[in-house]
Amino acid sequence: MLYSILRLLSAITFKILFRFKAKGLEHIPKTGGFILASNHVSYLDPIAVGVACQRKLNYMAKEELFCNPLSSRFFSSINVFPVKRDSADSSALKEAMRRVRIGGALVLFPEGSRRFDGVFHEPYPGIGFLTAKLNVPVIPAFIKGTEKALPAGAKFIRLTSISICFGKQISIERRMPYQDIAKHIMDNIRHLSC
């Protein structure tokens, strides 16, 4: 319930403040589990993906956001679960797999943390691992404008256009090494930026 309310409020806000536009929505699977892989340049990125996608999404977020009971309850109620950064967090990977296997949509940012320099960075192999193990559609997405609307260190939101483009399902050769799968996914995200 809270997810739907926040999504509606966010959609209205994004439309008014950022003239938000989404392309390629036909590539989002209507049913079944899938992975949505996107670039990550601002705190606004998870909201932009959630506003654009009609389906409820699941997100991994740094475990520090779950340190106090109030924030932990809030994030859990909007389909966010914790992950330990800079380590192979097996419990987070298991939770991600569980959610996708029951038909959920999982948002992943292959580069991990936000990247402020406008350069695509080496992706983490975790997305390659999940892609190989789950054997579900992987949809690439590229978000543009959030880095201007809420750049690193900004105290206030700036009014600028934000858009997101979803690409076609990525074909993956399942026997590829996890890092190679992650790079292949990142290449597809990069291609959408052109």
PDB file of all heavy atoms in Angstrom, residues 145-172:
ATOM      1  N   GLY A 145      19.729  12.972 -16.486  1.00  0.00           N
ATOM      2  CA  GLY A 145      19.215  14.197 -15.891  1.00  0.00           C
ATOM      3  C   GLY A 145      19.219  14.218 -14.378  1.00  0.00           C
ATOM      4  O   GLY A 145      19.237  15.290 -13.765  1.00  0.00           O
ATOM      5  N   THR A 146      19.202  13.045 -13.752  1.00  0.00           N
ATOM      6  CA  THR A 146      19.191  13.024 -12.282  1.00  0.00           C
ATOM      7  C   THR A 146      20.501  13.579 -11.714  1.00  0.00           C
ATOM      8  O   THR A 146      20.515  14.146 -10.627  1.00  0.00           O
ATOM      9  CB  THR A 146      18.957  11.596 -11.739  1.00  0.00           C
ATOM     10  OG1 THR A 146      19.901  10.704 -12.325  1.00  0.00           O
ATOM     11  CG2 THR A 146      17.545  11.124 -12.023  1.00  0.00           C
ATOM     12  N   GLU A 147      21.591  13.423 -12.489  1.00  0.00           N
ATOM     13  CA  GLU A 147      22.888  13.931 -12.027  1.00  0.00           C
ATOM     14  C   GLU A 147      22.904  15.458 -11.983  1.00  0.00           C
ATOM     15  O   GLU A 147      23.707  16.063 -11.269  1.00  0.00           O
ATOM     16  CB  GLU A 147      24.027  13.389 -12.908  1.00  0.00           C
ATOM     17  CG  GLU A 147      24.163  14.014 -14.282  1.00  0.00           C
ATOM     18  CD  GLU A 147      23.122  13.568 -15.300  1.00  0.00           C
ATOM     19  OE1 GLU A 147      22.284  12.708 -14.991  1.00  0.00           O
ATOM     20  OE2 GLU A 147      23.161  14.085 -16.440  1.00  0.00           O
ATOM     21  N   LYS A 148      22.007  16.101 -12.754  1.00  0.00           N
ATOM     22  CA  LYS A 148      21.887  17.569 -12.717  1.00  0.00           C
ATOM     23  C   LYS A 148      20.832  18.000 -11.693  1.00  0.00           C
ATOM     24  O   LYS A 148      20.964  19.029 -11.050  1.00  0.00           O
ATOM     25  CB  LYS A 148      21.504  18.095 -14.098  1.00  0.00           C
ATOM     26  CG  LYS A 148      22.580  17.901 -15.144  1.00  0.00           C
ATOM     27  CD  LYS A 148      22.101  18.364 -16.495  1.00  0.00           C
ATOM     28  CE  LYS A 148      23.152  18.062 -17.561  1.00  0.00           C
ATOM     29  NZ  LYS A 148      22.644  18.320 -18.918  1.00  0.00           N
ATOM     30  N   ALA A 149      19.771  17.190 -11.569  1.00  0.00           N
ATOM     31  CA  ALA A 149      18.687  17.533 -10.641  1.00  0.00           C
ATOM     32  C   ALA A 149      19.127  17.426  -9.184  1.00  0.00           C
ATOM     33  O   ALA A 149      18.737  18.240  -8.347  1.00  0.00           O
ATOM     34  CB  ALA A 149      17.484  16.627 -10.886  1.00  0.00           C
ATOM     35  N   LEU A 150      19.946  16.422  -8.874  1.00  0.00           N
ATOM     36  CA  LEU A 150      20.456  16.257  -7.507  1.00  0.00           C
ATOM     37  C   LEU A 150      21.882  15.720  -7.582  1.00  0.00           C
ATOM     38  O   LEU A 150      22.144  14.539  -7.362  1.00  0.00           O
ATOM     39  CB  LEU A 150      19.559  15.308  -6.697  1.00  0.00           C
ATOM     40  CG  LEU A 150      19.854  15.234  -5.197  1.00  0.00           C
ATOM     41  CD1 LEU A 150      19.664  16.582  -4.517  1.00  0.00           C
ATOM     42  CD2 LEU A 150      18.985  14.179  -4.536  1.00  0.00           C
ATOM     43  N   PRO A 151      22.844  16.609  -7.907  1.00  0.00           N
ATOM     44  CA  PRO A 151      24.232  16.161  -8.011  1.00  0.00           C
ATOM     45  C   PRO A 151      24.851  15.897  -6.644  1.00  0.00           C
ATOM     46  O   PRO A 151      24.257  16.227  -5.616  1.00  0.00           O
ATOM     47  CB  PRO A 151      24.927  17.348  -8.706  1.00  0.00           C
ATOM     48  CG  PRO A 151      24.071  18.524  -8.399  1.00  0.00           C
ATOM     49  CD  PRO A 151      22.667  18.014  -8.226  1.00  0.00           C
ATOM     50  N   ALA A 152      26.037  15.333  -6.660  1.00  0.00           N
ATOM     51  CA  ALA A 152      26.750  15.032  -5.411  1.00  0.00           C
ATOM     52  C   ALA A 152      26.941  16.295  -4.590  1.00  0.00           C
ATOM     53  O   ALA A 152      27.355  17.321  -5.107  1.00  0.00           O
ATOM     54  CB  ALA A 152      28.107  14.421  -5.733  1.00  0.00           C
ATOM     55  N   GLY A 153      26.604  16.213  -3.306  1.00  0.00           N
ATOM     56  CA  GLY A 153      26.819  17.328  -2.400  1.00  0.00           C
ATOM     57  C   GLY A 153      25.770  18.424  -2.455  1.00  0.00           C
ATOM     58  O   GLY A 153      25.834  19.379  -1.680  1.00  0.00           O
ATOM     59  N   ALA A 154      24.799  18.310  -3.359  1.00  0.00           N
ATOM     60  CA  ALA A 154      23.770  19.353  -3.484  1.00  0.00           C
ATOM     61  C   ALA A 154      22.838  19.327  -2.277  1.00  0.00           C
ATOM     62  O   ALA A 154      22.487  18.264  -1.776  1.00  0.00           O
ATOM     63  CB  ALA A 154      22.975  19.153  -4.767  1.00  0.00           C
ATOM     64  N   LYS A 155      22.439  20.509  -1.829  1.00  0.00           N
ATOM     65  CA  LYS A 155      21.510  20.608  -0.703  1.00  0.00           C
ATOM     66  C   LYS A 155      20.072  20.795  -1.182  1.00  0.00           C
ATOM     67  O   LYS A 155      19.135  20.576  -0.432  1.00  0.00           O
ATOM     68  CB  LYS A 155      21.913  21.764   0.206  1.00  0.00           C
ATOM     69  CG  LYS A 155      23.248  21.518   0.897  1.00  0.00           C
ATOM     70  CD  LYS A 155      23.608  22.652   1.816  1.00  0.00           C
ATOM     71  CE  LYS A 155      24.947  22.365   2.486  1.00  0.00           C
ATOM     72  NZ  LYS A 155      25.421  23.475   3.299  1.00  0.00           N
ATOM     73  N   PHE A 156      19.944  21.232  -2.444  1.00  0.00           N
ATOM     74  CA  PHE A 156      18.620  21.476  -2.989  1.00  0.00           C
ATOM     75  C   PHE A 156      18.479  20.823  -4.355  1.00  0.00           C
ATOM     76  O   PHE A 156      19.455  20.685  -5.088  1.00  0.00           O
ATOM     77  CB  PHE A 156      18.363  22.985  -3.124  1.00  0.00           C
ATOM     78  CG  PHE A 156      18.469  23.721  -1.824  1.00  0.00           C
ATOM     79  CD1 PHE A 156      19.616  24.442  -1.528  1.00  0.00           C
ATOM     80  CD2 PHE A 156      17.445  23.676  -0.893  1.00  0.00           C
ATOM     81  CE1 PHE A 156      19.736  25.119  -0.317  1.00  0.00           C
ATOM     82  CE2 PHE A 156      17.554  24.343   0.317  1.00  0.00           C
ATOM     83  CZ  PHE A 156      18.700  25.068   0.607  1.00  0.00           C
ATOM     84  N   ILE A 157      17.261  20.440  -4.683  1.00  0.00           N
ATOM     85  CA  ILE A 157      16.970  19.869  -6.002  1.00  0.00           C
ATOM     86  C   ILE A 157      16.926  20.986  -7.038  1.00  0.00           C
ATOM     87  O   ILE A 157      16.404  22.069  -6.773  1.00  0.00           O
ATOM     88  CB  ILE A 157      15.629  19.102  -5.965  1.00  0.00           C
ATOM     89  CG1 ILE A 157      15.789  17.804  -5.169  1.00  0.00           C
ATOM     90  CG2 ILE A 157      15.117  18.806  -7.355  1.00  0.00           C
ATOM     91  CD1 ILE A 157      14.512  17.023  -4.975  1.00  0.00           C
ATOM     92  N   ARG A 158      17.485  20.718  -8.209  1.00  0.00           N
ATOM     93  CA  ARG A 158      17.454  21.685  -9.306  1.00  0.00           C
ATOM     94  C   ARG A 158      16.409  21.245 -10.322  1.00  0.00           C
ATOM     95  O   ARG A 158      16.262  20.054 -10.598  1.00  0.00           O
ATOM     96  CB  ARG A 158      18.826  21.756  -9.980  1.00  0.00           C
ATOM     97  CG  ARG A 158      19.913  22.195  -9.028  1.00  0.00           C
ATOM     98  CD  ARG A 158      21.284  22.072  -9.655  1.00  0.00           C
ATOM     99  NE  ARG A 158      22.310  22.352  -8.658  1.00  0.00           N
ATOM    100  CZ  ARG A 158      23.609  22.203  -8.867  1.00  0.00           C
ATOM    101  NH1 ARG A 158      24.041  21.771 -10.032  1.00  0.00           N
ATOM    102  NH2 ARG A 158      24.467  22.477  -7.914  1.00  0.00           N
ATOM    103  N   LEU A 159      15.705  22.201 -10.883  1.00  0.00           N
ATOM    104  CA  LEU A 159      14.669  21.891 -11.872  1.00  0.00           C
ATOM    105  C   LEU A 159      15.323  21.673 -13.229  1.00  0.00           C
ATOM    106  O   LEU A 159      15.886  22.593 -13.815  1.00  0.00           O
ATOM    107  CB  LEU A 159      13.647  23.039 -11.947  1.00  0.00           C
ATOM    108  CG  LEU A 159      12.957  23.380 -10.627  1.00  0.00           C
ATOM    109  CD1 LEU A 159      11.909  24.460 -10.833  1.00  0.00           C
ATOM    110  CD2 LEU A 159      12.315  22.142 -10.011  1.00  0.00           C
ATOM    111  N   THR A 160      15.255  20.468 -13.705  1.00  0.00           N
ATOM    112  CA  THR A 160      15.825  20.103 -14.996  1.00  0.00           C
ATOM    113  C   THR A 160      15.083  18.882 -15.514  1.00  0.00           C
ATOM    114  O   THR A 160      14.349  18.237 -14.770  1.00  0.00           O
ATOM    115  CB  THR A 160      17.343  19.808 -14.862  1.00  0.00           C
ATOM    116  OG1 THR A 160      17.901  19.576 -16.149  1.00  0.00           O
ATOM    117  CG2 THR A 160      17.593  18.597 -13.975  1.00  0.00           C
ATOM    118  N   SER A 161      15.256  18.565 -16.776  1.00  0.00           N
ATOM    119  CA  SER A 161      14.564  17.400 -17.351  1.00  0.00           C
ATOM    120  C   SER A 161      15.231  16.097 -16.928  1.00  0.00           C
ATOM    121  O   SER A 161      16.463  16.015 -16.877  1.00  0.00           O
ATOM    122  CB  SER A 161      14.574  17.481 -18.880  1.00  0.00           C
ATOM    123  OG  SER A 161      13.854  18.599 -19.306  1.00  0.00           O
ATOM    124  N   ILE A 162      14.394  15.114 -16.633  1.00  0.00           N
ATOM    125  CA  ILE A 162      14.881  13.761 -16.325  1.00  0.00           C
ATOM    126  C   ILE A 162      14.178  12.791 -17.265  1.00  0.00           C
ATOM    127  O   ILE A 162      12.973  12.898 -17.501  1.00  0.00           O
ATOM    128  CB  ILE A 162      14.603  13.373 -14.858  1.00  0.00           C
ATOM    129  CG1 ILE A 162      15.420  14.248 -13.899  1.00  0.00           C
ATOM    130  CG2 ILE A 162      14.925  11.900 -14.608  1.00  0.00           C
ATOM    131  CD1 ILE A 162      15.131  14.000 -12.428  1.00  0.00           C
ATOM    132  N   SER A 163      14.939  11.860 -17.797  1.00  0.00           N
ATOM    133  CA  SER A 163      14.341  10.845 -18.660  1.00  0.00           C
ATOM    134  C   SER A 163      14.983   9.486 -18.384  1.00  0.00           C
ATOM    135  O   SER A 163      16.079   9.405 -17.829  1.00  0.00           O
ATOM    136  CB  SER A 163      14.517  11.204 -20.141  1.00  0.00           C
ATOM    137  OG  SER A 163      15.889  11.256 -20.470  1.00  0.00           O
ATOM    138  N   ILE A 164      14.281   8.446 -18.768  1.00  0.00           N
ATOM    139  CA  ILE A 164      14.807   7.088 -18.648  1.00  0.00           C
ATOM    140  C   ILE A 164      14.459   6.332 -19.924  1.00  0.00           C
ATOM    141  O   ILE A 164      13.378   6.509 -20.489  1.00  0.00           O
ATOM    142  CB  ILE A 164      14.254   6.371 -17.392  1.00  0.00           C
ATOM    143  CG1 ILE A 164      14.912   5.000 -17.211  1.00  0.00           C
ATOM    144  CG2 ILE A 164      12.748   6.250 -17.442  1.00  0.00           C
ATOM    145  CD1 ILE A 164      14.634   4.363 -15.851  1.00  0.00           C
ATOM    146  N   CYS A 165      15.400   5.530 -20.378  1.00  0.00           N
ATOM    147  CA  CYS A 165      15.181   4.722 -21.579  1.00  0.00           C
ATOM    148  C   CYS A 165      15.433   3.253 -21.227  1.00  0.00           C
ATOM    149  O   CYS A 165      16.496   2.915 -20.708  1.00  0.00           O
ATOM    150  CB  CYS A 165      16.133   5.173 -22.678  1.00  0.00           C
ATOM    151  SG  CYS A 165      15.952   4.229 -24.199  1.00  0.00           S
ATOM    152  N   PHE A 166      14.446   2.415 -21.485  1.00  0.00           N
ATOM    153  CA  PHE A 166      14.582   0.971 -21.280  1.00  0.00           C
ATOM    154  C   PHE A 166      14.932   0.314 -22.609  1.00  0.00           C
ATOM    155  O   PHE A 166      14.348   0.648 -23.645  1.00  0.00           O
ATOM    156  CB  PHE A 166      13.277   0.374 -20.748  1.00  0.00           C
ATOM    157  CG  PHE A 166      12.863   0.918 -19.411  1.00  0.00           C
ATOM    158  CD1 PHE A 166      11.870   1.878 -19.312  1.00  0.00           C
ATOM    159  CD2 PHE A 166      13.477   0.478 -18.248  1.00  0.00           C
ATOM    160  CE1 PHE A 166      11.489   2.390 -18.078  1.00  0.00           C
ATOM    161  CE2 PHE A 166      13.103   0.984 -17.006  1.00  0.00           C
ATOM    162  CZ  PHE A 166      12.109   1.945 -16.930  1.00  0.00           C
ATOM    163  N   GLY A 167      15.863  -0.622 -22.564  1.00  0.00           N
ATOM    164  CA  GLY A 167      16.266  -1.317 -23.776  1.00  0.00           C
ATOM    165  C   GLY A 167      15.641  -2.697 -23.886  1.00  0.00           C
ATOM    166  O   GLY A 167      14.933  -3.155 -22.980  1.00  0.00           O
ATOM    167  N   LYS A 168      15.929  -3.345 -25.000  1.00  0.00           N
ATOM    168  CA  LYS A 168      15.435  -4.710 -25.220  1.00  0.00           C
ATOM    169  C   LYS A 168      16.127  -5.675 -24.268  1.00  0.00           C
ATOM    170  O   LYS A 168      17.230  -5.413 -23.787  1.00  0.00           O
ATOM    171  CB  LYS A 168      15.710  -5.142 -26.658  1.00  0.00           C
ATOM    172  CG  LYS A 168      14.932  -4.359 -27.689  1.00  0.00           C
ATOM    173  CD  LYS A 168      15.284  -4.835 -29.092  1.00  0.00           C
ATOM    174  CE  LYS A 168      14.531  -4.010 -30.125  1.00  0.00           C
ATOM    175  NZ  LYS A 168      14.890  -4.407 -31.510  1.00  0.00           N
ATOM    176  N   GLN A 169      15.459  -6.796 -24.043  1.00  0.00           N
ATOM    177  CA  GLN A 169      16.022  -7.836 -23.181  1.00  0.00           C
ATOM    178  C   GLN A 169      17.411  -8.233 -23.678  1.00  0.00           C
ATOM    179  O   GLN A 169      17.642  -8.400 -24.870  1.00  0.00           O
ATOM    180  CB  GLN A 169      15.104  -9.061 -23.183  1.00  0.00           C
ATOM    181  CG  GLN A 169      15.610 -10.190 -22.329  1.00  0.00           C
ATOM    182  CD  GLN A 169      14.673 -11.384 -22.351  1.00  0.00           C
ATOM    183  OE1 GLN A 169      13.488 -11.243 -22.564  1.00  0.00           O
ATOM    184  NE2 GLN A 169      15.222 -12.561 -22.125  1.00  0.00           N
ATOM    185  N   ILE A 170      18.334  -8.357 -22.741  1.00  0.00           N
ATOM    186  CA  ILE A 170      19.722  -8.700 -23.070  1.00  0.00           C
ATOM    187  C   ILE A 170      19.864 -10.208 -23.197  1.00  0.00           C
ATOM    188  O   ILE A 170      19.409 -10.958 -22.341  1.00  0.00           O
ATOM    189  CB  ILE A 170      20.683  -8.193 -21.974  1.00  0.00           C
ATOM    190  CG1 ILE A 170      20.558  -6.678 -21.830  1.00  0.00           C
ATOM    191  CG2 ILE A 170      22.111  -8.594 -22.272  1.00  0.00           C
ATOM    192  CD1 ILE A 170      21.298  -6.119 -20.623  1.00  0.00           C
ATOM    193  N   SER A 171      20.499 -10.642 -24.281  1.00  0.00           N
ATOM    194  CA  SER A 171      20.779 -12.076 -24.403  1.00  0.00           C
ATOM    195  C   SER A 171      22.076 -12.383 -23.696  1.00  0.00           C
ATOM    196  O   SER A 171      23.079 -11.719 -23.911  1.00  0.00           O
ATOM    197  CB  SER A 171      20.986 -12.509 -25.824  1.00  0.00           C
ATOM    198  OG  SER A 171      20.348 -11.943 -26.741  1.00  0.00           O
ATOM    199  N   ILE A 172      22.019 -13.397 -22.876  1.00  0.00           N
ATOM    200  CA  ILE A 172      23.181 -13.786 -22.069  1.00  0.00           C
ATOM    201  C   ILE A 172      23.539 -15.237 -22.358  1.00  0.00           C
ATOM    202  O   ILE A 172      22.690 -16.108 -22.359  1.00  0.00           O
ATOM    203  CB  ILE A 172      22.874 -13.659 -20.558  1.00  0.00           C
ATOM    204  CG1 ILE A 172      22.489 -12.219 -20.198  1.00  0.00           C
ATOM    205  CG2 ILE A 172      24.045 -14.129 -19.714  1.00  0.00           C
ATOM    206  CD1 ILE A 172      23.580 -11.204 -20.279  1.00  0.00           C
TER     207      ILE A 172
END
